[in-house]
Amino acid sequence: MLYPMFQSVQYSFYHWDGIGTATPAGLDNWKALVTRAELLQSVVHAFVLILFYTVLPVGLGLVAATLIRELKPGPFNTVARVVLFIPQVLPLVAAGIAWTWMYSSDGLVNQILRAFGLGSQTRAWLGDFTFALPAVGVIGVWVMLGFCTVLMLAGIGKIDPSLYEAARLDGAGRFREFFAVTLPGLRQELVVCTTFTMIAALASFDVIQISTQGGPGYQTMVPGVEIYRLTFLQQQVGQASALAVFLAVLVLVVIWPIQRLGRKK
């Protein structure tokens, strides 16, 4: 594991096409990370995707898990869990293809809008410069929601029922019960869920490569796709290595405080 990581760091200080002789580049590849607009923009897009891959799935997963907990055990409860978790077990490539069809001009999304009299709002969502990135983000919400919901359900199942009974005896309503009992009891699950989804957002590749390939223009370009493009399409292995190392460090910097928070008593 360590040797290829060391090689990536080494390559980041060279100009190399992956085949010929490498020539020293000094810090040129690293300077390009802040001077080339497309590289910097890809990092910004990754942070935007945190809203869709982390904030919304974790928030909606908490709500969904709380509501499912209130359901009586039975077929509907089981079906709800399965339906929410299905996106997590599907290959991301298949998910990207399916959503590409749904986002097309004659796809399901536009058909629903027309059915509700919103034909003026239809568009080729993945080809729209304004809505392409949010459209890709919605796919992230769909994929991550099931994982977050099931993880929260498992966490709620470990909370002592006597705590809920005590809260009700004290006159706590549903909202007070949620913030006083459920949320503190899900601390470790929230840390795991946030860590997993943030890494998925910052290192996203599959869905975007399949659905938009970073387009239109650079509107959905993220570091993972940019690294692939630089390496295999432009033969700029040194620049791609610098971006890859930067991305790895960025993930560690973002995740470290979350892990620290989870270890606090």
Side-chain angles (χ1 to χ4, degrees), residues 19-101:
I19 300 173
T21 304
T23 58
L27 295 175
D28 290 350
N29 292 326
W30 291 93
K31 291 178 181 177
L33 296 178
V34 293
T35 57
R36 289 177 59 176
E38 65 271 20
L39 299 181
L40 187 60
Q41 191 177 23
S42 70
V43 176
V44 173
H45 290 162
F47 276 97
V48 173
L49 288 180
I50 288 178
L51 170 65
F52 296 96
Y53 276 71
T54 303
V55 178
L56 290 177
V58 171
L60 294 175
L62 271 171
V63 174
T66 304
L67 293 176
I68 292 175
R69 183 182 70 87
E70 299 293 334
L71 297 175
K72 294 181 179 180
F76 183 77
N77 190 309
T78 303
V79 169
R81 295 170 186 245
V82 171
V83 168
L84 284 170
F85 196 70
I86 281 177
Q88 190 63 37
V89 299
L90 289 176
L92 291 179
V93 171
I97 293 173
W99 277 91
T100 300
W101 291 341

Side-chain angles (χ1 to χ4, degrees), residues 80-255:
R81 295 170 186 245
V82 171
V83 168
L84 284 170
F85 196 70
I86 281 177
Q88 190 63 37
V89 299
L90 289 176
L92 291 179
V93 171
I97 293 173
W99 277 91
T100 300
W101 291 341
M102 290 193 290
Y103 277 138
S104 65
S105 299
D106 297 321
L108 181 62
V109 174
N110 285 331
Q111 289 181 28
I112 293 174
L113 290 175
R114 293 189 187 102
F116 283 93
L118 298 173
S120 60
Q121 301 301 317
T122 61
R123 66 194 78 233
W125 294 92
L126 296 177
D128 189 284
F129 276 76
T130 302
F131 290 96
L133 187 60
V136 169
V138 169
I139 305 176
V141 176
W142 181 77
V143 171
M144 295 296 168
L145 178 57
F147 169 78
C148 293
T149 302
V150 171
L151 191 62
M152 299 303 174
L153 277 170
I156 290 176
K158 294 188 297 183
I159 298 175
D160 189 347
S162 63
L163 295 176
Y164 288 104
E165 294 175 6
R168 294 191 190 100
L169 289 174
D170 288 340
R174 291 186 181 276
F175 285 101
R176 180 63 179 168
E177 182 182 288
F178 174 78
F179 286 104
V181 180
T182 304
L183 203 56
L186 293 176
R187 182 170 184 164
Q188 292 299 323
E189 285 75 16
L190 285 169
V191 169
V192 172
C193 197
T194 303
T195 301
F196 181 85
T197 54
M198 273 195 172
I199 293 174
L202 294 173
S204 55
F205 173 79
D206 313 66
V207 170
I208 295 177
Q209 175 64 18
I210 292 298
S211 58
T212 66
Q213 296 183 355
Y218 277 87
Q219 295 305 110
T220 61
M221 184 63 69
V222 291
V225 177
E226 182 72 359
I227 291 167
Y228 170 82
R229 188 181 65 85
L230 288 169
T231 303
F232 297 104
L233 301 182
Q234 298 187 5
Q235 287 77 49
Q236 297 181 27
V237 177
Q239 185 64 77
S241 297
L243 183 56
V245 174
F246 175 77
L247 178 60
V249 173
L250 183 64
V251 169
L252 293 175
V253 169
V254 171
I255 295 305

